[in-house]
Each structure stands twice: as structure tokens, then as C-alpha cells.
Amino acid sequence: MQGFKIYQEKLFNSFQLSDRVPVTNFYRLLKEVLHLDFLYSDTDQYYGSSGQKSIDPVVFFKFCLVGYLENIISDRKLIDHCSMRLDILYFLGYDIDEELPWHSTISRTRQLFPEDVFESVFTHILQMCISKGMVSGHTQCIDSAPVKANASMDSLELKVPSQDLEAHLSEIRHISARDKEVFRKAKENKASKEQQIITASQKELDGIKSRNKKWSKDQDQRPGSGNKGSRYTSNKTHYSPTDPDARISVKPGKARKLNYCSQLSVDTAHHVITDIRAYHADGKDSQQLEDITNRLQRRLWKEGFVWQNCVADTGYSSGENYAFLEAMGLKSFIPAHGTYKGGPDGFEYDEQNDHYVCPQGKIIPFKKVFIEKKNQTKKKEYRGSKRLCIDCPIRSACLGKSAQEKKFTVTYYREEYERNIARMKSPQGRYMKGKRQSTVEPVFGTLTQFMGLRKINTIGLQQANKVMHLSAMAYNLKKYLKFAQKRVKSGVGMEFLLGFCKSSSHHCFASI
């Protein structure tokens, strides 16, 4: 017989969320294991003693975690989404007839709490993972990725000298048709005076000027030259008034964008994130390694782990970093960059006497240690006297046309380079390279595609750091529950088997 459903709202209902949310639901399981009561004491100092009550700090962090677990970066969309999900309401502690907070409350509370509070929650969740045996601690993989900032390239403003604003603008703006006026004027200029003033040297500005002239000649008149992202820009000459902490960066084959740099450390045991932080996108990875290492080693030491192996890609390679890691007692597995050479081709290095021997058997002695001005790197100079090369049969090929003596420079950290290269060529080094590719790179892909880290929805470096910590928290919690569920399932199976054997013991033993 055909059914016909008639809907009529009841005047009185007997309804409980706990009855409607399944026992195996993700958010129900998360509610049982995630306890953030320590936030009440940690955040008490940031509230006043009178006035209207604000959002519960524990509820605030749960809202934020839901956003990254559901891959929602808009606070407005997050509130709408939560109001439609019974399991999320149960996790947050709201009943179906309770009104959720206004979306701006989430944004204001995120700005209220400092970075330390977010880092303490991240550390608490990491400790949960450690207690489950998900972290080994001895090997950490480090990598970085650009994350899009909440600012447009069309709103970029020209940096100016502090003494002569108008003269500089008239000189610079004729170079490119796109710089004659701002394509999309920002409503408010949030940059400080220091961020609006040019700090580049005259040599750097001359290089940018010549590049801009070539750009205007080759690109300004072509079809689409007025489109978004079609002009040549540099952090030396431009800044974002919308988000002054965002920096212009580019990856090969992709357009220039305003980004932040996310530095991530992942444990190799079960791919748990052990450290994450936001940096300016115009800095090199090798410049951040020391800060990452100090922070990560302190965290692992507090949890009782001894960090032994530091694994990273070529971007972190430098002699200073190799020496620093050795001083910290860490083995570096970082491929040397392609510009490294242990000396001229065909020359042999005598480590005991610190000199080189040329193909003709002549000794090129060490002369001095100096700091190279361009890259501020420490180098050693080796130079042979004029009389050594005067009758050499390969003189023209070795010295060239104008040189009278053999002179070359080698990095001061040659021994550290060679030890690291030897480790990379060993079986353990090849294993570590594969481990890095299968550990940290998939984690970054998960964060950017499924954990709300495709774009920073806040303004400023400190706020970006909070966003990255929240995304990492959501990732670790998901890993934690998956790890816990596997153990629970196996335990349930054993309990069922033991119970069955007890109820029918003669059948069990008969079958055995």
C-alpha cells in the first residue's frame, strides 16, 4: 500500500542530542578525548571583571577546530555550517534551540588571545599523541610551503624614500604603465611608516630599475598587460597596505602572489606535526632553520625525547646550518645545493696541511678568512705566488688571459659540507631522502587541500601563525582519533571473542 507522509510540528518534544549522535561519530569521539579546561586559567587575564559575558574559551577553540576539520576558512560560513549539524552542536555543547555566537565574536576572540595560548593548545594535543605512542622523536622532517595571504596584488603601493616623496614617484611611475596608479586602492593603509620607506641599497634599486625598463619594453604593450599579476613587482619597491606583513613570492611556473611562508616539522613515526610557524615569504629556508631547530629541540626535550636526525631538502643547505646542527648534536641529512664545490676541478685538498695541490703538483696555500659582502658568508682564500705558475704548461687554461697567479675561494665550512654529503650518499642517507618525500610533503598537501590552509583569512604575521597552529591541531587530532579507533576496534574484537568463548566454552575447546 502506498505511503503518504504528513508533517506537523509537535508542540512539545522530548529530544536529546546525545541520543541522535552515533557512538562511532567522529565529533562524539573527539568530545570524549579532548579536554581543554586548562584554558580557563590560561586566558583569565585577558578578560575584564565586569560587562557582558564573552564566548567560552574552550568553546571558541572547538569552533576553530571544527572550521579546519571541515575545511572552512570563513567564520560566517562556519557558524552557518555548525547550526546545521547535530554532531557538531553536541561537540560544541550547544542544544538545538540555543543560538550560536555571532561570527564576529570568533574573529575578535582570535585577535584577543596571544600566540602563546594557541601554542599551548597545540602542545597539549601533541602530548595526547605522544601518550598514544605516535611520536618517536629521533627523526624530524622539515619543509616549507607558501600560503596565500589575505591581500591582493592589485592593491600594492610603491615604497618611497623618506626625504623626497613626489620626486621619487615621478621618477618611478613612468617605468611601467601599471604603476602610474593603484589598480585597487586599499580602504585603509595598515603599513607603518618604516614599512612604506625603501630600505634597499642603491645597487639593488638600479638592478630593479633596469629590470623594470626591460619589462615595460617587452610586456607593457602586449595583449593582457593590464591584467591582474601582469606587472613586475618586488618587495624592495612595493608593499601591501592591506597586509604589510605579507610578502611577494613566486614559485617556478606560477604567478607572483602575496604569501606567508609556513615552516613545518613532522615526526617520521606516524606523521604527527611536531612544530609549525609562520614566517615572511621573502626569507630563505636556510635562514629559518636555526630558529626552527632551537624551538623544536626544546619541545622534544621537555617531552623526554632525544632528537638525533634532521631531514630537510636543499633549500635548507648552507655551511652555517651544517655547523650549527653538528654543534647541537644532530645529524643533518640535507642535500648540498648545486653551487657548492670543494675546490677547483682537478685540485686535491690536503686536509692535514690545509692547502690544495694543482694537477701539476704545485701547492696552493691558504691565505686568509674573510666575509663575502654579497651573501655575508664566511670563506677561505687560497692563493699561489706568481712564480709557481710562470712556467706551467697549462697556465692559459688554468689562469685565463689576465690573471698572473692562481687564486680561488672555498667555503669556510668545507669539512661540514663533506661530512653531510657523505651521509647523504650512504644507505641511511638514501633512506632518509625517501622518508622525507613520503612524510612531510603529503602532510603539507593535506593541510593546504583539506585542512583550511589554502589561504590565510587573517591579517598580520601573528594572526597567520595562529591560523597555522589551528590547522596543525586539527590534523593531529584526526591522526590521533584514527590511531585510537584502530586500537579500540581490536580491543572490542578480543572482548567479543572472550565473551563468546566463556558462554559456550565446551564448543570452543571442542573446536580447538
Side-chain angles (χ1 to χ4, degrees):
M1 182 177 178
Q2 185 183 50
F4 185 75
K5 180 72 173 69
I6 300 174
Y7 172 73
Q8 184 175 358
E9 290 190 7
K10 295 180 180 179
L11 187 60
F12 299 102
N13 267 319
S14 176
F15 181 86
Q16 284 187 320
L17 273 175
S18 56
D19 296 336
R20 291 286 180 172
V21 180
V23 178
T24 56
N25 179 267
F26 174 83
Y27 286 104
R28 184 168 194 139
L29 295 173
L30 186 58
K31 183 181 177 69
E32 293 172 358
V33 299
L34 183 62
H35 306 291
L36 302 176
D37 293 341
F38 65 91
L39 284 171
Y40 293 116
S41 58
D42 288 359
T43 61
D44 182 63
Q45 58 183 311
Y46 306 111
Y47 292 97
S49 57
S50 61
Q52 191 174 2
K53 287 186 179 180
S54 182
I55 186 173
D56 186 316
V58 174
V59 174
F60 161 74
F61 271 95
K62 287 186 175 182
F63 265 111
C64 292
L65 289 172
V66 168
Y68 292 96
L69 288 166
E70 299 291 322
N71 200 17
I72 300 172
I73 62 175
S74 167
D75 295 335
R76 193 186 298 267
K77 288 183 180 179
L78 172 63
I79 298 300
D80 292 341
H81 182 80
C82 293
S83 64
M84 300 295 292
R85 290 274 299 271
L86 296 181
D87 55 346
I88 294 178
L89 288 175
Y90 179 71
F91 171 66
L92 296 172
Y94 280 82
D95 214 330
I96 55 172
D97 57 348
E98 281 189 88
E99 188 176 354
L100 295 182
W102 192 245
H103 64 85
S104 61
T105 305
I106 305 295
S107 177
R108 288 197 300 269
T109 308
R110 188 190 297 114
Q111 295 174 18
L112 172 68
F113 295 154
E115 296 172 87
D116 294 343
V117 175
F118 289 80
E119 193 165 343
S120 66
V121 180
F122 172 80
T123 303
H124 174 75
I125 294 172
L126 178 61
Q127 289 170 346
M128 291 169 57
C129 296
I130 291 171
S131 65
K132 281 289 182 183
M134 299 171 65
V135 179
S136 62
H138 55 77
T139 304
Q140 303 294 316
C141 296
I142 302 173
D143 202 0
S144 68
V147 183
K148 191 179 183 306
N150 192 12
S152 171
M153 291 284 287
D154 292 333
S155 64
L156 288 178
E157 292 272 7
L158 282 166
K159 288 186 176 181
V160 296
S162 56
Q163 66 274 12
D164 194 356
L165 169 60
E166 294 301 327
H168 175 75
L169 290 178
S170 62
E171 180 185 353
I172 294 295
R173 281 182 171 162
H174 80 278
I175 294 174
S176 171
R178 282 296 308 276
D179 274 329
K180 288 180 179 177
E181 59 181 11
V182 179
F183 195 76
R184 184 188 296 170
K185 191 73 173 176
K187 294 180 180 178
E188 179 187 357
N189 193 332
K190 298 180 181 179
S192 64
K193 188 176 181 181
E194 290 75 15
Q195 291 170 320
Q196 299 179 41
I197 294 174
I198 290 179
T199 55
S201 65
Q202 189 59 44
K203 186 176 180 181
E204 291 173 322
L205 290 176
D206 290 341
I208 293 169
K209 188 174 180 180
S210 62
R211 217 171 300 156
N212 272 328
K213 283 183 177 179
K214 187 177 185 303
W215 183 272
S216 64
K217 181 180 177 182
D218 297 342
Q219 304 289 336
D220 266 7
Q221 303 306 318
R222 68 176 176 82
S225 62
N227 291 348
K228 184 178 181 181
S230 64
R231 58 177 167 169
Y232 179 80
T233 51
S234 169
N235 290 307
K236 302 290 186 184
T237 56
H238 292 77
Y239 73 95
S240 171
T242 308
D243 187 357
D245 285 340
R247 296 290 188 270
I248 302 165
S249 66
V250 62
K251 293 192 75 175
K254 294 188 178 181
R256 289 170 175 262
K257 290 182 180 178
L258 286 164
N259 294 323
Y260 285 98
C261 178
S262 176
Q263 295 284 354
L264 183 72
S265 303
V266 181
D267 187 83
T268 55
H270 292 280
H271 301 189
V272 173
I273 298 173
T274 52
D275 185 75
I276 190 169
R277 184 163 288 271
Y279 292 89
H280 292 301
D282 58 345
K284 295 180 180 179
D285 290 342
S286 58
Q287 296 172 332
Q288 320 296 356
L289 184 63
E290 186 173 341
D291 181 50
I292 297 167
T293 303
N294 286 327
R295 185 173 59 252
L296 181 56
Q297 192 171 54
R298 283 196 303 270
R299 178 176 287 134
L300 293 173
W301 185 262
K302 286 180 181 178
E303 303 303 328
F305 292 109
V306 178
W307 184 16
Q308 298 175 351
N309 305 314
C310 179
V311 188
D313 61 17
T314 312
Y316 297 87
S317 171
S318 74
E320 291 83 357
N321 283 341
Y322 294 143
F324 168 75
L325 291 174
E326 286 187 5
M328 297 286 286
L330 298 173
K331 290 182 181 178
S332 62
F333 292 90
I334 306 173
H337 49 73
T339 59
Y340 168 73
K341 285 187 177 181
D345 294 335
F347 284 62
E348 293 184 5
Y349 179 66
D350 187 334
E351 187 175 353
Q352 184 176 358
N353 299 309
D354 193 15
H355 65 238
Y356 282 83
V357 181
C358 78
Q360 296 299 311
K362 303 291 180 65
I363 293 175
I364 312 298
F366 162 73
K367 288 297 181 181
K368 65 177 181 179
V369 176
F370 68 100
I371 304 295
E372 190 180 44
K373 290 183 180 180
K374 183 179 179 181
N375 299 319
Q376 293 297 307
T377 55
K378 201 173 184 180
K379 290 195 171 184
K380 298 173 75 174
E381 183 182 294
Y382 295 83
R383 185 172 71 246
S385 63
K386 184 178 179 180
R387 60 184 175 81
L388 285 176
C389 305
I390 194 166
D391 296 326
C392 183
I394 60 170
R395 173 187 169 91
S396 59
C398 185
L399 298 183
K401 294 181 180 180
S402 59
Q404 299 294 318
E405 58 189 15
K406 186 63 178 178
K407 183 175 73 171
F408 56 87
T409 60
V410 179
T411 175
Y412 181 81
Y413 303 98
R414 183 187 181 280
E415 295 179 5
E416 287 82 356
Y417 264 105
E418 293 298 329
R419 285 193 289 267
N420 178 78
I421 291 171
R423 279 194 296 270
M424 290 302 301
K425 289 181 178 179
S426 67
Q428 186 185 14
R430 291 192 292 271
Y431 169 78
M432 287 297 183
K433 181 181 178 182
K435 197 69 175 174
R436 179 189 66 80
Q437 293 172 340
S438 62
T439 300
V440 69
E441 292 179 6
V443 173
F444 253 129
T446 302
L447 292 180
T448 54
Q449 299 299 318
F450 306 109
M451 292 288 177
L453 206 59
R454 62 187 179 275
K455 180 183 178 181
I456 301 295
N457 64 332
T458 56
I459 301 296
L461 187 65
Q462 293 182 351
Q463 300 299 321
N465 190 35
K466 298 174 186 178
V467 167
M468 292 180 186
H469 272 88
L470 286 167
S471 181
M473 292 178 214
Y475 176 88
N476 282 349
L477 281 173
K478 207 164 188 178
K479 297 286 290 186
Y480 175 87
L481 280 184
K482 284 184 178 180
F483 193 82
Q485 282 176 352
K486 288 179 182 178
R487 290 192 166 190
V488 169
K489 283 184 178 179
S490 63
V492 170
M494 290 299 296
E495 289 174 5
F496 173 79
L497 181 62
L498 291 172
F500 176 78
C501 290
K502 286 180 180 179
S503 63
S504 53
S505 57
H506 60 285
H507 290 294
C508 288
F509 289 112
S511 62
I512 293 173

